[in-house]
C-alpha cells in the first residue's frame, strides 16, 4: 500500500479539489502524523516485497518428503557446521576430541587380535572361501562379535576408537576377517538393539549376540533399490491382526547381505503400511525394522554371493507373506515407522568408522611392507627405493596413509563424544575408501609381479580385490560424492539454511509467520555470504603472500608448520562457505547439479581431512620426520581443495550461473591465478618422505603401529613380518658394500656375513 489510510481519508474529504490540493492537504498534517504516514508507507512496501520474495522462493523449492524431514532431523552436527560457517577452529578440535584406548582395550588389540591373526592364513581363507572352525570358535569365545555391546549384556563395551583399531589391524592381515568382524560391531542389530530395543529384546538378543550364539546381519539392500532406504522396493509389509494379535505380513527380497549365510538373526528393513489404521496412535507407517531369527517360518537365508574374490559370507534374505508379530518389531509397536531415524543415527559408525578402518589397515601395510620391499628389492644392483618413480608412488601412498589415519582418529573421537555426524561420516566413507584404493594401487605398482601371483607370500592381492567392495558399500562412492555429502551438508550444516527451508514448507494458513521467519533467515544468509566474501578476499591475498615468501624448509619448524597450514585452511573454508551460499541461486534445482555438488564434496573433504591431519600432528608431535610427512599431505590436500573450487567457479550452473561464477572468482581468487598458489609437493620433499618410509625411522615405526607381525623366531611364513625385519639388515649391508667400494678392498669375514 503506497498511501496510508489516513491520507486516503484526507483525500476523500477534498475530492472536489484538484489532486494537487489533496496532496497539499496531506502535507499540512502535523509532522508526527507525517512521519507515521511515511513509516507505514515503507512498512507496506517492505511487507509486500517480503511476501513476494517468500512466494517466489516457495514456488521454486520442492516440498520436502517425510523421509527427507526425518533425515534432516537425525544425527548431529558439529565440526561440519563449523566448516560451513567459514571459520572453523583447530584449537577447538584439539581441546574437544582425543582418541584413546583403555589398557583393557589395548591388551585385547595386542593379544586377542594377534591370536586371531595367528589362526588365519589369508591365502587359504580365499581359496577355501571360509575360515577354519577353530577361527570361528575363537571369534565367538573372545567376543569379537560383541565389542560394542555393553558389559552388562555380556559384551566387551569397547569404545569406537578401540573397535576401529581392531578392524584396522585385522585388515593388515586378512580383509575377510575385517569385514566379518565389522558388521556385528557397526550397522547391525546389536547396535540398534542397544539404542532402541525393548527390555525383553535386549535381555534375549544381546547376550546371545555378545557370545556369538547368534551372529547378526542387516537386510537393507534390494535388487532394484540398492541401499536406498527411502524406496525399499520389494520390501513391503502390511499391518494385520491374526487371532487377536497385531503384526505385519511381509514380503521381501534382499541381496548382498554380509554374513547372511551364517547369520542367526537378521534385522530387516521394511516399508510398512497400515491401510486399516490398526496402529492407532501407537506407531506410524514408513521404514520399520524387524528382528527375525534364522528359523522364523517363511524366512529364507538363501544363496551365497561371491563378491569378487572375497571370502567373507554374503548372500540373500527372502520371504513371501511372512507373518511377523509386533513383538519382533525392533523397539516394539511404538517404533513402527521409526526405522529411518534408527538407521541414520547408527549409520555414522558403519560408514565413518568401520569402512575407513579397512583403508587404515591397507595404508599401514603398504607403507610398512612395500616400503621395506623397495629397500630390499634391487634392480641393476641398486635398491628400487632410489628410483624416482618408486619414490613418487611411495610418498603419495605415505601421505594418503597419514590422511586416512588422521581422519579415522578424529572421526572415532567424534563418535566416542556421543555424536553421530552424518555429513562427516559420508566424507570419511567416500574419501578414505577412495584413498585406500589408491594406496593399494601404488603398492601393486611397486611390488609388480610379486603382487599378482597368488600364494602365501602375496599380502597385496586380496586387499586389491577387497577395497572396490568397500567403495560400493552403504551407497557407492559416486552417489555419496555427487549427491549425498553436499545435499545433506548444505541443508543440515549451513547455519541458516534449515530454518529457511522449514519456513518454505509452512501451510498457507501460517504464511504470515513463515514469511517473517523466511525473511529473517534470508537476510542472515545474505550477511553470511557477504562476510565470507570479504574473508575470502582478505584471507586469499594474505595466504598468497604467505605462500610466496615461505621457505621450502619452513615445515621443519612445527610451530610454523601449524600456523601456515591452519591459515590456508581458514582461507579455503571461507572460499567453501561463500560457494555454499552461492548455491542458493539454484534453488531446488541444486539437487540435479551433481557435477557441482561433486566438486564441492571434494573441497569439503579436503578441508575436513586437512584439519584432521593438523589435529593428528598436534597430538603426535615429536615423531621424528612427521613434519615432512604432514607437509606433504597438507600440500596435496590444499591443492585438491583449490582445484575443486576453481573448477566449480568455471562451471557454475543455473540461470544466475554467470553471476555466481563471477562472484565466486572475485571472492575466491581475487587476483586471478596469482591467488591460486597451491602446488604439488616438491621433488625434494617427495624424496625425503620416501626415504623416511624405506629406511629405519620413526615414520616407519609410526606406520608399523597396529600391523600384525608374527613373533620373533616364529617358523610361520609371513611375508610382511619378514620384509619389515629385513630393512635394518639390508640398510646396514648396503652401507658396508658402499664403504668397501670406496675403500677398494675385500670384506672381512664379519662384513661378508652381513652382506651375504
Amino acid at each position: 500500500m503506497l498511501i496510508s489510510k489516513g491520507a486516503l481519508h484526507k483525500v476523500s474529504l477534498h475530492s472536489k479539489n484538484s489532486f494537487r490540493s489533496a496532496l497539499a492537504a496531506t502535507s499540512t498534517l502535523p509532522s508526527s502524523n507525517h512521519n507515521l504516514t511515511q513509516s507505514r508507507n515503507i512498512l507496506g512496501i517492505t511487507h509486500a516485497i517480503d511476501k513476494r520474495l517468500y512466494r517466489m522462493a516457495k514456488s521454486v523449492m520442492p516440498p520436502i518428503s517425510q523421509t527427507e524431514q526425518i533425515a534432516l532431523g537425525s544425527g548431529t552436527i558439529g565440526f561440519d557446521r563449523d566448516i560451513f560457517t567459514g571459520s572453523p577452529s583447530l584449537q577447538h578440535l584439539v581441546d574437544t576430541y582425543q582418541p584413546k584406548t583403555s589398557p583393557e582395550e589395548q591388551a585385547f588389540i595386542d593379544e586377542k587380535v594377534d591370536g586371531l591373526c595367528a589362526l588365519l592364513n589369508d591365502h587359504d581363507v580365499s581359496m577355501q572361501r571360509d575360515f577354519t572352525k577353530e577361527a570361528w570358535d575363537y571369534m565367538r569365545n573372545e567376543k569379537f562379535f560383541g565389542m560394542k555391546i555393553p558389559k552388562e549384556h555380556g559384551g566387551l563395551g569397547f569404545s569406537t576408537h578401540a573397535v576401529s583399531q581392531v578392524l584396522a589391524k585385522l585388515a593388515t592381515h586378512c580383509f575377510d576377517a575385517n569385514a566379518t568382524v565389522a558388521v556385528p560391531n557397526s550397522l547391525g542389530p546389536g547396535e540398534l538393539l542397544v539404542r532402541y530395543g525393548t527390555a525383553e529384546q535386549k535381555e534375549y538378543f544381546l547376550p546371545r549376540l555378545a557370545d556369538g550364539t547368534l551372529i547378526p546381519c542387516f537386510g537393507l539392500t534390494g535388487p532394484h533399490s540398492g541401499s536406498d532406504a527411502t524406496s525399499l522396493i520389494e520390501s513391503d509389509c502390511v499391518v494385520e491382526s491374526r487371532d487377536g494379535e497385531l503384526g505385519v505380513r511381509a514380503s521381501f527380497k534382499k541381496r548382498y547381505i554380509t554374513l547372511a549365510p551364517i547369520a542367526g538373526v537378521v534385522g530387516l528393513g521394511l516399508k510398512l503400511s497400515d491401510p486399516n489404521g490398526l496402529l492407532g496412535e501407537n506407531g506410524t507407517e514408513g521404514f520399520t525394522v524387524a528382528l527375525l531369527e534364522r528359523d522364523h517360518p517363511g524366512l529364507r537365508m538363501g544363496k551365497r554371493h561371491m563378491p569378487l574374490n572375497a571370502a567373507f559370507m554374503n548372500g540373500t534374505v527372502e520371504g513371501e507373506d511372512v507373518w511377523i508379530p509386533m513383538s519382533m518389531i525392533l523397539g516394539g509397536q511404538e517404533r513402527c515407522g521409526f526405522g529411518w531415524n534408527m538407521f541414520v543415527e547408527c549409520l555414522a559408525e558403519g560408514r565413518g568408522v568401520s569402512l575407513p578402518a579397512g583403508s587404515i589397515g591397507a595404508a599401514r601395510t603398504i607403507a610398512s611392507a612395500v616400503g621395506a620391499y623397495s629397500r630390499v628389492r634391487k634392480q641393476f644392483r641398486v635398491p628400487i627405493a632410489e628410483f624416482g618413480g618408486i619414490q613418487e608412488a611411495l610418498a603419495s601412498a605415505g601421505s594418503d596413509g597419514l590422511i586416512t589415519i588422521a581422519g579415522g582418529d578424529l572421526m572415532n573421537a567424534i563418535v566416542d563424544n556421543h555424536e553421530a555426524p552424518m555429513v562427516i561420516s559420508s566424507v570419511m566413507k567416500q574419501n578414505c575408501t577412495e584413498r585406500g584404493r589408491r594406496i593399494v594401487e601404488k603398492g601393486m605398482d611397486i611390488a609388480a609381479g610379486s603382487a599378482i601371483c597368488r600364494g602365501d607370500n602375496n599380502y597385496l592381492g586380496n586387499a586389491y580385490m577387497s577395497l572396490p567392495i568397500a567403495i560400493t558399500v552403504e551407497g557407492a562412492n559416486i552417489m555419496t560424492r555427487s549427491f549425498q555429502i553436499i545435499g545433506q551438508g548444505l541443508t543440515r550444516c549451513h547455519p541458516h539454511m534449515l530454518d529457511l527451508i522449514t519456513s518454505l514448507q509452512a501451510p498457507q494458513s501460517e504464511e504470515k509467520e513463515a514469511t517473517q521467519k523466511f525473511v529473517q533467515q534470508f537476510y542472515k544468509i545474505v550477511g553470511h555470504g557477504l562476510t565470507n566474501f570479504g574473508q575470502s578476499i582478505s584471507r586469499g591475498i594474505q595466504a598468497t603472500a604467505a605462500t610466496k615468501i615461505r621457505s621450502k624448509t619452513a615445515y621443519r619448524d612445527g610451530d610454523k608448520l601449524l600456523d601456515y597450514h591452519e591459515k590456508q585452511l581458514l582461507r579455503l573454508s571461507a572460499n567453501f562457505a561463500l560457494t555454499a551460499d552461492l548455491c542458493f541461486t539454484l534453488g531446488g534445482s541444486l539437487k540435479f547439479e551433481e557435477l557441482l555438488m561433486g566438486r564441492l564434496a571434494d573441497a569439503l573433504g579436503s578441508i575436513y581431512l586437512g584439519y584432521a591431519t593438523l589435529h593428528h600432528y598436534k597430538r603426535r608431535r615429536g615423531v621424528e620426520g612427521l613434519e615432512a610427512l604432514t607437509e606433504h599431505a597438507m600440500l596435496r590436500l590444499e591443492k585438491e581443495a583449490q582445484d575443486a573450487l576453481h573448477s566449480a567457479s568455471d562451471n557454475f550452473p543455473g540461470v544466475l550461473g554467470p553471476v555466481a561464477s563471477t562472484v565466486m572468482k572475485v571472492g575466491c581468487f581475487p587476483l586471478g591465478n596469482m591467488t591460486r598458489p597451491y602446488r604439488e609437493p616438491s621433488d625434494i620433499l617427495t624424496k625425503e618422505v620416501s626415504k623416511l618410509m624405506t629406511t629405519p625411522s620413526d615414520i616407519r615405526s609410526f606406520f608399523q603401529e597396529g600391523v600384525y607381525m608374527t613373533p620373533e623366531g616364529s617358523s610361520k611364513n609371513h611375508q610382511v613380518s619378514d620384509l619389515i625385519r629385513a630393512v635394518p639388515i639390508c640398510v646396514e649391508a648396503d652401507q658396508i658394500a658402499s664403504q668397501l667400494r670406496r675403500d677398494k678392498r675385500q670384506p672381512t669375514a664379519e662384513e661378508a656375513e652381513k652382506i651375504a
Side-chain angles (χ1 to χ4, degrees):
M1 187 176 293
L2 299 180
I3 304 177
S4 69
K5 291 181 179 178
L8 286 175
H9 178 65
K10 194 74 175 176
V11 170
S12 67
L13 293 176
H14 301 276
S15 58
K16 294 183 179 179
N17 298 328
S18 66
F19 182 67
R20 180 177 297 178
S21 299
L23 289 176
T26 304
S27 66
T28 62
L29 289 171
S31 60
S32 59
N33 289 342
H34 178 66
N35 292 338
L36 179 61
T37 300
Q38 287 185 324
S39 298
R40 287 176 175 174
N41 287 346
I42 294 170
L43 287 174
I45 294 171
T46 301
H47 290 158
I49 293 174
D50 290 347
K51 185 180 292 186
R52 177 164 294 188
L53 184 64
Y54 172 79
R55 290 178 177 176
M56 183 174 66
K58 192 177 181 71
S59 69
V60 299
M61 177 63 67
I64 297 179
S65 68
Q66 183 180 4
T67 301
E68 290 173 320
Q69 290 176 5
I70 293 171
L72 290 174
S74 300
T76 63
I77 52 175
F79 187 66
D80 39 8
R81 185 189 182 103
D82 294 344
I83 296 174
F84 273 85
T85 66
S87 296
S89 168
L90 175 61
Q91 191 58 48
H92 170 72
L93 285 182
V94 175
D95 293 341
T96 308
Y97 305 112
Q98 292 293 326
K100 54 180 180 274
T101 54
S102 68
E104 178 189 5
E105 292 168 340
Q106 193 59 52
F108 185 91
I109 294 167
D110 294 338
E111 299 167 14
K112 302 303 182 184
V113 177
D114 280 12
L116 175 57
C117 289
L119 296 175
L120 300 173
N121 179 299
D122 190 38
H123 178 62
D124 287 347
V125 170
S126 64
M127 291 294 100
Q128 300 299 323
R129 299 286 192 268
D130 202 353
F131 306 123
T132 62
K133 182 180 183 302
E134 184 181 11
W136 278 114
D137 289 344
Y138 185 90
M139 286 187 278
R140 288 186 171 97
N141 295 337
E142 300 300 339
K143 300 186 178 181
F144 274 81
F145 302 128
M147 289 189 288
K148 290 291 289 182
I149 293 175
K151 291 183 177 181
E152 58 265 31
H153 294 295
L156 297 176
F158 280 0
S159 66
T160 298
H161 187 57
V163 172
S164 173
Q165 300 292 90
V166 169
L167 297 177
K169 192 168 191 176
L170 289 174
T172 68
H173 181 64
C174 178
F175 256 88
D176 291 310
N178 162 277
T180 299
V181 174
V183 169
N185 291 288
S186 53
L187 184 62
E191 184 81 2
L192 295 172
L193 276 162
V194 169
R195 297 194 189 192
Y196 305 109
T198 65
E200 294 78 9
Q201 290 170 345
K202 291 179 181 180
E203 183 180 355
Y204 178 80
F205 282 110
L206 289 178
R208 290 168 172 79
L209 291 170
D211 66 14
T213 300
L214 294 175
I215 292 177
C217 69
F218 192 86
L220 175 66
T221 305
H224 300 295
S225 58
S227 297
D228 180 7
T230 64
S231 59
L232 292 175
I233 299 170
E234 295 182 304
S235 297
D236 299 311
C237 66
V238 180
V239 179
E240 293 183 354
S241 178
R242 294 187 181 182
D243 301 324
E245 181 182 18
L246 203 61
V248 300
R249 175 173 52 82
S251 296
F252 44 87
K253 290 184 178 180
K254 304 293 184 180
R255 296 289 186 272
Y256 324 122
I257 309 304
T258 301
L259 299 186
I262 49 105
V265 60
V266 56
L268 277 175
L270 300 169
K271 183 178 180 181
L272 182 144
S273 61
D274 182 25
N276 298 316
L278 298 177
L279 291 175
E281 299 296 322
N282 194 12
T284 63
E285 296 182 324
F287 183 13
T288 299
V289 179
L291 290 171
L292 302 183
E293 290 190 74
R294 191 178 189 88
D295 59 358
H296 188 87
L299 175 64
R300 298 194 306 276
M301 309 291 276
K303 297 178 181 179
R304 183 179 175 185
H305 299 307
M306 298 304 297
L308 293 179
N309 198 59
F312 67 85
M313 296 293 171
N314 189 277
T316 63
V317 177
E318 298 181 339
E320 290 86 32
D321 295 328
V322 178
W323 172 249
I324 304 174
M326 279 296 167
S327 60
M328 295 183 181
I329 297 298
L330 181 59
Q333 181 179 337
E334 68 182 43
R335 293 293 186 179
C336 285
F338 197 74
W340 181 245
N341 302 68
M342 300 179 186
F343 182 72
V344 168
E345 292 183 11
C346 290
L347 191 62
E349 191 150 347
R351 306 187 81 212
V353 176
S354 296
L355 292 170
S359 294
I360 292 170
R364 292 193 180 279
T365 302
I366 301 306
S368 302
V370 176
Y373 175 84
S374 301
R375 180 57 57 185
V376 173
R377 174 80 165 85
K378 288 184 171 64
Q379 190 74 34
F380 314 118
R381 294 190 295 181
V382 177
I384 64 172
E386 302 302 324
F387 296 170
I390 301 296
Q391 292 168 343
E392 183 179 33
L394 267 178
S396 176
S399 57
D400 268 335
L402 172 64
I403 291 166
T404 304
I405 292 167
D409 283 354
L410 180 55
M411 179 67 194
N412 298 342
I414 290 173
V415 175
D416 278 332
N417 197 45
H418 310 294
E419 300 177 38
M422 289 306 302
V423 175
I424 290 179
S425 69
S426 295
V427 166
M428 282 295 296
K429 187 270 175 180
Q430 181 265 325
N431 219 297
C432 290
T433 54
E434 180 56 39
R435 289 183 193 276
R437 174 163 62 179
R438 295 204 308 242
I439 291 167
V440 174
E441 286 174 349
K442 299 295 185 186
M444 293 285 291
D445 289 348
I446 295 169
S450 66
I452 63 172
C453 296
R454 305 295 302 280
D456 291 346
N457 288 337
N458 189 328
Y459 55 92
L460 288 172
N462 285 339
Y464 180 72
M465 289 181 277
S466 295
L467 273 163
I469 301 171
I471 282 170
T472 70
V473 175
E474 306 302 344
N477 277 2
I478 286 180
M479 185 274 288
T480 304
R481 172 184 175 269
S482 62
F483 179 76
Q484 192 170 48
I485 291 174
I486 297 302
Q488 286 184 337
L490 195 59
T491 52
R492 190 77 171 94
C493 301
H494 191 283
H496 310 299
M497 182 62 172
L498 187 57
D499 288 338
L500 184 141
I501 289 177
T502 302
S503 70
L504 293 174
Q505 306 301 312
Q508 183 70 29
S509 60
E510 301 174 10
E511 184 180 67
K512 182 177 180 181
E513 296 81 3
T515 300
Q516 293 175 346
K517 184 177 181 181
F518 167 82
V519 170
Q520 183 183 43
Q521 297 305 316
F522 176 79
Y523 286 116
K524 284 183 179 180
I525 290 173
V526 172
H528 184 262
L530 291 173
T531 298
N532 282 304
F533 181 77
Q535 289 179 338
S536 287
I537 293 175
S538 61
R539 291 176 184 174
I541 294 173
Q542 292 169 9
T544 299
T547 302
K548 295 294 184 184
I549 65 174
R550 186 176 186 241
S551 166
K552 291 184 178 180
T553 58
Y555 65 86
R556 293 176 183 172
D557 182 324
D559 291 333
K560 291 181 179 178
L561 172 79
L562 286 167
D563 181 68
Y564 171 78
H565 287 297
E566 183 177 7
K567 287 178 179 176
Q568 308 316 305
L569 291 178
L570 278 170
R571 177 260 177 105
L572 291 166
S573 297
N575 294 167
F576 173 80
L578 170 63
T579 308
D581 289 333
L582 290 171
C583 287
F584 296 132
T585 62
L586 295 167
S589 66
L590 174 64
K591 65 173 63 178
F592 304 109
E593 299 295 347
E594 296 181 16
L595 294 175
L596 174 65
M597 289 197 289
R599 294 179 181 114
L600 296 187
D602 292 340
L604 176 61
S606 296
I607 293 168
Y608 166 75
L609 291 170
Y611 274 102
T613 302
L614 295 184
H615 175 265
H616 178 272
Y617 176 76
K618 290 202 74 167
R619 291 186 301 104
R620 297 298 302 269
R621 191 172 179 176
V623 175
E624 188 174 353
L626 188 57
E627 287 79 15
L629 184 60
T630 301
E631 172 81 356
H632 198 280
M634 292 303 302
L635 291 176
R636 293 180 61 210
L637 287 169
E638 287 156 6
K639 187 172 189 305
E640 287 174 12
Q642 172 187 266
D643 289 350
L645 291 167
H646 184 250
S647 181
S649 71
D650 281 341
N651 297 278
F652 210 98
V655 176
L656 296 176
V659 176
S661 175
T662 301
V663 173
M664 188 178 172
K665 286 180 183 292
V666 172
C668 298
F669 316 111
L671 302 179
N673 289 339
M674 185 182 299
T675 38
R676 288 198 291 124
Y678 307 128
R679 300 291 182 266
E680 293 287 345
S682 69
D683 290 351
I684 294 174
L685 181 60
T686 293
K687 290 178 180 180
E688 181 180 354
V689 170
S690 177
K691 185 176 181 179
L692 289 168
M693 296 174 65
T694 58
T695 56
S697 67
D698 284 359
I699 291 300
R700 278 197 58 78
S701 298
F702 160 71
F703 279 118
Q704 286 165 205
E705 295 171 6
V707 174
Y708 169 69
M709 293 177 62
T710 54
E712 288 273 8
S714 172
S715 60
K716 282 191 174 183
N717 179 33
H718 189 243
Q719 185 80 338
V720 171
S721 300
D722 294 343
L723 284 168
I724 290 173
R725 291 176 178 137
V727 170
I729 299 171
C730 290
V731 169
E732 184 181 8
D734 288 343
Q735 290 171 345
I736 292 171
S738 178
Q739 187 64 47
L740 290 174
R741 286 193 295 271
R742 286 195 297 270
D743 295 346
K744 297 180 180 180
R745 65 177 176 84
Q746 295 298 311
T748 65
E750 182 181 357
E751 290 172 335
E753 183 179 352
K754 288 183 177 180
I755 64 177

